[in-house]
Amino acid sequence: MKDDFINYKEKEPLDPKSARNGYGNPTFQHDEKPEQNDQLQKNKKKKKNEKSKEKMVGILKLFGYADWLDIILMIIGLIAAVANGTGLPLLFIVIGEMTNRFVMIGQAVNMSSVNLSAVMNCSSTCPAIPGLDIEAEMTRFAYYYVGISFAVMILSTIQVWTFLTSAARQTARIRQKFFFAILHQEMAWFDTSQIGTLNTRLTDDINTIHEGIGDKFCIFVQFFATFLTGIVIGFVYGWKLTLVILSVSPLLAAAAAVGSIFLASFTTKELTAYARAGAVAEEILTAIRTVVTFNGQMKALAKYDVNLENARKVGVKKSITTYTSLGFTEFILFGAFALAFWYGTKLTVEEKENYDLGCVLIVLFSLLRGTFYLGQSYPYLESVANARGAAYEVYKVISKHRLLDSSAKEGYRPDKLKGDIKFKNIHFCYPSRPDVKILKGLNLKIQSGKTIALVGSSGCGKSTAIQLLQRFYDPVQGEITLDGRDIRTLNIKWLREHIGLVSQEPILFATTIADNIRCGREGITDYEIEKAAKKANAFDFISRLPEKFNTMVGERGAQLSGGQKQRIAIARALARNPRILLLDEATSALDTQSESIVQAALDKARAGHTTIVIAHRLSTIRTADVIAGFHNGVVVEQGTHNELMTQKGFYSSLVMQQGHGGNTQNGMSEDEDCEEEDLDDLKMENLTDVGGFEEPGVIEMGSIPKGSRRHKSRKTSSKKKSSEKKKTKEKEEENLPAVPYSRILALNKPEWLHIFFGVIAAAFSGGIHPAFSVLYGKIIGAFQETDPEKRSKNTTLLSLMFLVLGVISLVTHIIQGFMFGNSGEVLTKRLRSLSFKALLQQEIGWYDDPKNTIGVLLTRLATDASQVKGATGSRLGLFTKTASTLLTAIIIAFVYDWRLTLLIVACIPFVIAASAIRLSSVARQASKDQKALEEAGRISTEAVENIRTVASLTSEDAFYERYNASLNGPYRDSLTKAPLYGLTYGIAQCADYFLDAAIFRFGAWLIANCYTNFENVFIAFSSVLYGVISVGQSTSLAPDFGKAKVSSQRIFQLLDQKPLIDSYSEEGTKLSQFDGNIEFRDIHFIYPTRPEAQVLQGLSVKVNKGQTLALVGSSGCGKSTSIQLLERFYDPMAGQVHC
C-alpha cells in the first residue's frame, strides 16, 4: 500500500476542535513559560472557525488496506449477495403464478352450481373441479419455495462468512497500522492532538470501520440487488404497470435523501458531543486523587453532563428524523399499493391477454418490495457512510508523512560513539506555538566523558535543549552535532538507544519491576538487571518485597513511593549503559539520605559518559565539570562551581537565592538504616509472581544464573501459575449479574408518559400490517368476481383503505419518534451520568485493582452506556410493534382459518429459534470483543499518554507487539465464528420461506377438501408473512441487543458496587467549628491489595491547632500513607485518626 494513499496536509491536527489547553499535552511538560497559552488558544479558535465540513474517504479507498485474499473473499461475497438478492423477486413470480391457480379455482366455484359454504359447513364430499388438481399444483410450487429457500440459506452463509472474514483481517491490519503510526509520530503532532481522541479512534472509529466493511456492506448489496431484480422483472411482466408504480419512486428517493442528510448531520454532532464527554472523563479519571482531594467530584460530573446534554438534544432530533422518514416511506408504499391495485384492475379488464391478477401481483411485489428493501438497506448504507467518515481521520494518521520517524531505517549508524556534543546557533520555537521563541541562538559545547549542568529559572530552555538532542523536535535554525556529525543525519532509533534519560517525573509502566528495567535495553540479562538496580540503590528495597523483581508496580507505578519509582527509573537508564546520560532533576523525588547515596551512584555511573544534568537543587551539581547558566534561551555564563561563585554573576545569584546552598541538605545522619523504608511504602500492590527471577532468599544476591535450568524451570512454572491466575480472573469477570429488562426501564420512570404514548403508537403501528393482510386477501378475493364492474368497484374501495392505512402509519411513526426519542436519549444520558458518578464515588483503593485501570474504565464508559441504547428507546418501540404485529396477525389468522393457523403457530418457534441462535452467538462474541478491546485500550492508553517516555526508551516496538498480542485471540476467534454467523443469518433469512411453503401446501389440501376458500388462505398467509417479516426486522438488531445485554450487566455491576469509603455519603458528623487538631492513635495499616505487607505498625502522633508538623524519614517509611489516611483515601485496620 502506498504511503500517499490519501493526500493530507502534514501539519493538520487530528482533531483541532477538541484539543485541550494544556492538560495532558506533552508540549506543556517542558519548563517553558506557561503564560504563552493565550496565543495557542487564539490559534485554536482560528483553526476551529476555518475548519471545513466533515470529510470521508471514497468507497474504494475504504477497502484500501485489503490484500489479495481479502479482495477474493469480497468478490465471492458480492457474487453470493447479488445472487441472494434475486431470491425474493423469484419467489414473487412463484406467488403470482400460484395466485392465478387459486383465482381459477374461485372463479370455477362461482361459475358452478356448488354452494361452497354449505359444503364447508357439512360433512358431505367436496366436488372436484374439472381440469384442476389444486394439490398437485401447490406441491409443485412448494418445491419451488424449498429450492429457493435452500439457495438463499447457502448464499447468505457465503456472503456473511466471506465479508466477516475479510473485515476481521482488514480491521486487524488497520488497528496495527494506526497504532504503529501513532507510536512513531513526531512530538509536534502530539502537541496538537488530544490523547483521549486518539484512544477513541483506536476503539470506536475502527469499530465503525469494521461495521462498514463487514456483513452490513454485503447485506446492502443484497438488498440493492433485490431492488434491481424487482425492476427488471416488473418490466418483463408488465411495463405499463411498472411505469405507473415507478412514478412514486422520486418521492421515495426524496424521502430517503432528506432523511439521510439530516441523519448524517445529527450523527456527526452526536459523536462529537460524546467524544468531548469522553475527553472530560479521561481528564478527571487520570487525576482522580487530585479530584477527590479537593472534593471536585460534583464539579467534574457537571462538566461531563454538559456534553451529555448536548448529545441528548441531538439524539432526540435524530430519532424524530428517523421515524418520520420511515413513516413517510410507508405512507408512499401504501399509496403505491392503492395505485397499483386500482390501475392493475383496470388493465385486467382492458388488456386481458397481457395482464391477469398474477401478473399484477408479480409486478407490484417485485417493485414495491424491491423498493422497500432499498429503504431497508439505508441503515446498512449509513454504516458504510459512517465507516467512510471514521476512515478519513484514521487513514489520514496512517498515511501521514512523519517528519521525525523513529521507525525509519534511514540515517547513519556509527560503529563507535565518542560523545562530543555541540549546539551551534540554535533557534527554536514549538510548532504549536510558533510565535513564542524558546531558544534564541544557543551555543554550547559538551566534551566527551564530561558532565555539564544546565541551570536557570523555569522556562529558560533547559528541557527544550534535551528534547532537541533526543530529536523529539528539530531546530528552526542551527545544528546539533554529535562527534562532529549533524544529528539529523543519524538514524533516530540508534541515537535514542545511546541516550539514557531520567526525568523529573518518572514514568513506570504497568508491569513488573524487572520488565520496567528491561525497557532500558532489549535482551538484557537478569544479572545485568540486578547490577543496574544496585547502581541505582534500588536492589535492597526490591529484595525485601515478597515477589522481588516480579512485583507489579501498578499503573504509572502507583503502587510504589516516589523515591522507589525514581530509583527504578534510574536503574532503567543505567541498564542501557548509555554513552550520553540525561538527568532532568533525577534525584528530586528522593529523601535526603537516599539522594546522597543515589547521587554518589550517579556520579560513579556517569564516569566516562557524556552527562547533561538539569537541576534546580544546585547542591547536586557542584561537582559538575561545567555549569552553564541559561537565561532567555541562551547561555549567559559557563564554568565550574568555584569559578562561577567567584564571578558573582548569574549562577552565584541563583545559589544565594536558595539560601542555604547545598550544605544543609545532607543534615540527616547517614547512620540511620535507610533500608527499612522500602517495604512500607509499596502502595496498593497486586503482588503477582510473573516469573523470571529466582528468590533472593534462596540464592545469594546478584547470583541469578543467566541460563540455568533451574531458572528456566522456575520461569516456566511461574508462567503456568500466572496463566492459571489469569484464567481464574477471567472467570470472575465473566460472572456478570443478571439484569432484568424491567430494571433498565425502571431508570426511565420520569419519562413514563413518553413511553406510554410511544407504546400505544407502536401497538397501533404494529397492527397496520395485519390490517393490510386482510385488505390484501380481500382484494385478491375480489378477482374471483366474474363481473368486471363489480370487481372494479370492490377493488377501488379497498384501494382507498390502503391510503387510510398509510396515513395512520405516518402519524404513529412521528409519535414514536418523539416519544421514544425523548425517553431513550434521556435514559442513555442518565446511564452515562450514573456510571461516571459511580466511578467517581469509588474509593481510591478500587482504582488500584488492575481490573480498573484508567484505560479499561474509559473504554467501558465510552461503549457500555451507548450500547445499552440498543435495548431502549426506539428499540423498545420496535419490540412493542413486533409483539403487536405478531399477536394481531395470529388472531386474524385464527379468525379466518384456525386449522391453517395451528400449523403456522407450530412452525413459528422454529423461526424464533433461528433468530435466538443468532442473538445468542452475537451476544457471546460481543462480550469477548469487549474484553479484548479493554486490554488493547489499556495498552494503547498507557503508551500514548506516556509517549515521550516510550520514545526516549525506544520501546515503540515493544508496545506495538503487546498491542497486537492482545488482539490476536479475538482476531482468530472472529475468523472461527464467521461461518457460524453466516449460517445463522442464512437460517434466519430462509426460515419464513420454508414456512410459506408449508402454509400453501396445507392450504391447498384444505381448499381441495372444501375446509376453506383461497381468500381465507391468503389472509392467514399474508398475516403470518408480515408477522414473520416483523420478527425478522427485530432479529436484525441482534447485535445491538446482544451488546446491550452485556453492557447493561457491566453498568449495573458498577452501580451496585458499594464503595468502602463513600465520598457522596451525608452520614457522619459535620463539625460546626473545625480548629485543626489532628491525632493519629496507634494506627495499624495495610493496603487492601497487599494484605501481607504491614505499612504502619502502631503510629501515634499529635499536632495541635496552629502547629506545623513535618514528617521526615526515608522513602517508604509511611509518610505519604499517613496523609492518605487523613484524607480518608483509605481507613486504618486498627487505631483511629482524630480531628
Side-chain angles (χ1 to χ4, degrees), residues 95-105 356-359:
I95 291 173
E97 297 296 333
M98 188 170 56
T99 304
N100 280 338
R101 299 297 186 276
F102 279 123
V103 170
M104 289 172 63
I105 294 171
D356 53 25
L357 177 59
C359 180

Side-chain angles (χ1 to χ4, degrees), residues 158-235:
I158 293 173
Q159 75 176 56
V160 172
W161 179 3
T162 53
F163 264 86
L164 281 180
T165 301
S166 172
R169 288 167 51 84
Q170 292 178 71
T171 304
R173 201 172 293 123
I174 292 169
R175 284 189 195 278
Q176 292 170 359
K177 288 180 177 293
F178 185 57
F179 188 58
F180 182 88
I182 289 177
L183 286 176
H184 295 88
Q185 293 293 336
E186 64 270 14
M187 292 303 155
W189 183 81
F190 286 98
D191 294 346
T192 53
S193 300
Q194 191 176 5
I195 304 301
T197 303
L198 296 178
N199 288 320
T200 299
R201 301 218 180 283
L202 269 169
T203 52
D204 292 354
D205 284 13
I206 296 184
N207 286 345
T208 301
I209 294 173
H210 180 272
E211 289 188 359
I213 64 176
D215 57 334
K216 290 187 177 181
F217 185 87
C218 68
I219 292 174
F220 165 74
V221 173
Q222 173 195 335
F223 287 176
F224 191 72
T226 300
F227 168 70
L228 290 181
T229 307
I231 290 180
V232 171
I233 289 176
F235 275 104

